[in-house]
Amino acid sequence: MDLFKMLKDAQKMQATVAKARKEIQKLQVDVEKDGIKVTINGVFKITGLKISNDALLDDKTKLEKAILSCLNEAFETMQKEAQKKMQELLKDLPINELGPFLS
């Protein structure tokens, strides 16, 4: 086991993870459902909310349910997109060689 190579691989992994985090922060997801449109970014901040169904404005309960439903779907979608992006960016890392040191 070459300790120098393992340290070099660990530094590469750290740089790649930092790059992956920056890429994920740039992601944006738009979800439109039941007359509500929600936009969230890669750090799970809501950056937009639009109500296009004016009928919802007359029924507070329906409006609340529609917003919650849309928000939940947007967060789930962003979580999947972030995970997919992370896997894509980390696929070439030598994680198997570093496994004993990461657990």
Side-chain angles (χ1 to χ4, degrees):
M1 206 182 290
D2 182 3
L3 185 58
F4 181 72
K5 182 183 180 320
M6 289 175 54
L7 289 173
K8 190 174 177 181
D9 288 344
Q11 286 176 332
K12 179 182 176 185
M13 182 169 52
Q14 187 177 21
T16 303
V17 168
K19 179 183 175 190
R21 284 188 180 139
K22 286 181 182 179
E23 290 293 318
I24 288 170
Q25 289 176 353
K26 295 177 188 176
L27 292 176
Q28 179 176 303
V29 169
D30 295 312
V31 172
E32 194 163 352
K33 184 176 182 177
D34 300 328
I36 305 289
K37 181 179 179 181
V38 172
T39 303
I40 63 171
N41 63 21
V43 291
F44 293 88
K45 298 253 185 200
I46 300 166
T47 59
L49 174 66
K50 293 185 181 178
I51 301 170
S52 59
N53 182 352
D54 290 337
L56 290 173
L57 299 175
D58 295 330
D59 188 337
K60 181 181 174 187
T61 302
K62 283 185 180 178
L63 176 61
E64 290 169 347
K65 285 181 182 180
I67 290 172
L68 284 175
S69 177
C70 195
L71 284 171
N72 285 330
E73 187 172 325
F75 282 111
E76 287 173 17
T77 302
M78 179 52 76
Q79 188 173 19
K80 289 176 187 174
E81 290 297 315
Q83 184 177 21
K84 186 168 56 172
K85 188 71 161 177
M86 184 67 85
Q87 288 174 343
E88 174 188 313
L89 293 169
L90 300 181
K91 68 182 178 193
D92 295 327
L93 287 181
I95 292 173
N96 291 336
E97 294 175 27
L98 297 172
F101 298 100
L102 297 176
S103 50

